[in-house]
């Protein structure tokens, strides 16, 4: 993958990208010309459940082994990009309330960025995983013109992650909470059915994007409602959390209940993108998450529905693109590396 073909010179230095997840770390190396030196996943255990100390050690090991894999001398590394699941501050301090991935008490308020920087003795640039994926999608899509373009990305998973990129850089906000697109409240007219209860989000909001367009939203809100309308559906016999995970498979087979649920998700994301259109007027709208891995016809149906429910002005329709976030399993590490590369270029 080439980010910047026009300025290719022999690589004089590199950055490393480290994606920290609930079970695995993934690592990559990006050279000064924007070329990734790793084609595939390089997974190793993240050990986050064993607490911060062992997890930072696991990141240091992932760092050393990706250098080994690519025969890159340590002396060529200028910076390291790190991404983790949130919530965390813009500077990589895990939320004091803890989080799903960082459940141990020792993680609360832990500065994972600073700890890794101290451990490996190189500057570490932090992003949350959704921002890193958004950044990668942006740079991959726009290539050499990335620094002149803007985009928004919505990534549907357990929650709804997002990222806002302006002139090639992630908007972080004052305390790192910019781009929390899942908790943007949207107009529900045209999304919900008559009489459908207002979906509730774990964050305390009602009717935000995540309350609809996430696995949690399906489990807590959409599936219970739609099963009430399809009482004889085979999923009615399953526990709701298990049924929610099976729903995409039904969607790929054009099951009416599943399509009703996913249509509501696509409409909700369309409403979100309509807000984005009036907020940053981006050049591209990216969609990522499980839907990217779905069967091509289902994926195309979903993206078309998102596009159809995003109300753009005529000039915007002519200029903007809708696309899927590519290489989602590698997008975190690659986006983290892109952020590190930019920080070196601008140092
Ligand atoms: Zn919320």
């Amino acid at each position: 993958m080439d980010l910047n073909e026009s300025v290719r010179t022999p690589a004089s230095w590199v950055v490393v990208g480290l994606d920290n997840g609930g079970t695995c770390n993934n690592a990559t190396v990006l050279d000064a010309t924007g070329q990734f030196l790793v084609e595939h996943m390089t997974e190793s255990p993240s050990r986050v459940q064993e607490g911060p100390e062992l997890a930072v050690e696991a990141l240091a090991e992932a760092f050393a082994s990706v250098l080994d894999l690519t025969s890159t001398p340590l002396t060529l590394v200028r910076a390291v990009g790190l991404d983790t699941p949130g919530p965390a501050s813009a500077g990589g301090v895990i939320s004091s309330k803890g989080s799903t991935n960082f459940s141990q008490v020792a993680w609360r308020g832990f500065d994972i960025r600073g700890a890794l920087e101290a451990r490996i003795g190189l500057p570490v640039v932090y992003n949350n995983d959704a921002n890193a994926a958004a950044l990668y999608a942006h740079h991959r899509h726009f290539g050499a013109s990335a620094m002149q373009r803007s985009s928004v990305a919505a990534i549907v998973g357990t929650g709804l992650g997002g990222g806002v990129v302006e002139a090639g850089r992630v908007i972080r906000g004052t305390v790192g909470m910019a781009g929390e697109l899942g908790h943007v409240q949207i107009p529900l007219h045209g999304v919900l059915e008559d009489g459908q209860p207002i979906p509730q989000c774990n964050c305390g909001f009602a009717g935000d994007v995540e309350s609809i367009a996430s696995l949690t939203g399906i489990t807590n809100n959409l599936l219970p409602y739609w099963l009430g309308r399809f009482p004889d559906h085979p999923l009615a016999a399953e526990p709701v959390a298990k049924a929610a995970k099976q729903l995409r498979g039904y969607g790929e087979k054009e099951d009416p209940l599943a399509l009703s649920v996913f249509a509501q998700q696509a409409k909700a994301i369309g409403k979100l993108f309509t807000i984005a259109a009036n907020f940053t007027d981006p050049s591209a709208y990216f969609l990522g998450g499980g839907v990217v891995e779905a069967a091509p016809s289902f994926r195309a149906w979903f993206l078309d529905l998102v596009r159809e429910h995003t109300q753009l002005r005529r000039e915007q329709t002519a200029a903007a693109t809708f696309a899927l976030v590519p290489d989602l399993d590698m997008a975190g590490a690659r986006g983290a590396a892109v952020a590190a590369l930019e920080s070196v270029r601008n140092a």
Side-chain angles (χ1 to χ4, degrees):
M1 221 271 329
D2 196 354
L3 285 175
N4 208 347
E5 202 139 17
S6 58
V7 296
R8 168 142 346 142
T9 54
S12 49
W13 51 272
V14 304
V15 295
V16 170
L18 296 175
D19 171 57
N20 171 268
T23 51
C24 286
N25 291 324
N26 182 34
T28 195
V29 179
L30 178 62
D31 76 17
T33 69
Q35 184 96 337
F36 286 103
L37 306 187
V38 181
E39 289 293 324
H40 306 291
M41 299 281 284
T42 56
E43 285 189 327
S44 54
S46 70
R47 307 183 73 177
V48 292
Q49 303 303 335
E50 296 170 64
E53 215 165 293
L54 289 172
V56 169
E57 206 47 45
L59 281 167
E61 280 166 30
F63 171 74
S65 67
V66 82
L67 292 185
D68 197 40
L69 177 77
T70 54
S71 308
T72 305
L74 178 62
T75 49
L76 289 191
V77 185
R78 292 269 184 95
V80 174
L82 168 69
D83 78 291
T84 75
S89 77
V93 177
I94 304 299
S95 166
S96 58
K97 286 183 173 172
S99 75
T100 311
N101 279 275
F102 304 104
S103 53
Q104 279 203 353
V105 176
W107 278 113
R108 295 184 188 170
F110 183 80
D111 178 4
I112 190 168
R113 189 206 65 80
L116 182 64
E117 190 168 88
R119 171 64 182 77
I120 60 179
L122 283 162
V124 175
V125 177
Y126 178 83
N127 279 284
N128 71 44
D129 55 359
N131 280 348
L135 193 59
Y136 175 62
H138 181 92
H139 282 259
R140 168 79 194 259
H141 188 82
F142 289 116
S145 65
M147 301 313 285
Q148 286 85 51
R149 303 300 185 112
S150 59
S151 64
V152 292
I155 295 154
V156 185
T158 309
L160 185 125
V164 178
V165 176
E166 186 61 40
R169 296 197 180 86
V170 167
I171 304 292
R172 293 161 179 274
T174 306
V175 294
M177 292 182 180
E180 288 289 341
L181 303 183
H183 308 296
V184 172
Q185 287 170 304
I186 51 169
L188 298 172
H189 178 74
V191 176
L192 299 186
E193 298 286 298
D194 287 342
Q196 183 174 359
I198 306 285
Q200 305 292 319
C201 182
N202 288 338
C203 76
F205 284 174
D208 64 12
V209 188
E210 183 169 301
S211 72
I212 298 167
S214 68
L215 183 62
T216 311
I218 292 179
T219 309
N220 293 349
N221 301 310
L222 303 191
L223 198 52
Y225 169 76
W226 283 101
L227 282 173
R229 294 189 48 176
F230 291 83
D232 300 327
H233 196 280
L235 287 179
E238 303 277 358
V240 70
K242 195 174 164 205
K245 286 184 183 153
Q246 293 176 30
L247 201 62
R248 196 175 80 204
Y250 281 89
E252 290 170 335
K253 287 180 274 179
E254 299 185 15
D255 172 79
L257 173 142
L259 292 187
S260 301
V261 170
F262 288 114
Q264 289 196 311
Q265 295 203 319
K267 289 173 187 175
I269 295 168
K271 297 281 187 189
L272 171 70
F273 284 169
T274 303
I275 293 172
N278 289 294
F279 228 103
T280 64
D281 181 25
S283 333
Y285 300 83
F286 295 119
L287 179 67
V291 70
V292 176
E293 288 131 48
S297 62
F298 178 78
R299 191 164 75 189
W301 169 79
F302 193 88
L303 188 63
D304 281 348
L305 210 50
V306 170
R307 190 187 285 121
E308 196 180 304
H309 288 270
T310 305
Q311 288 171 267
L312 302 181
R313 293 170 213 284
R314 192 149 39 102
E315 298 86 339
Q316 292 176 314
T317 305
T321 326
F322 287 75
L324 300 167
V325 176
D327 315 319
L328 194 70
D329 50 359
M330 294 191 293
R334 289 186 159 192
V338 168
L341 186 73
E342 285 308 319
S343 80
V344 174
R345 282 178 175 166
N346 294 304

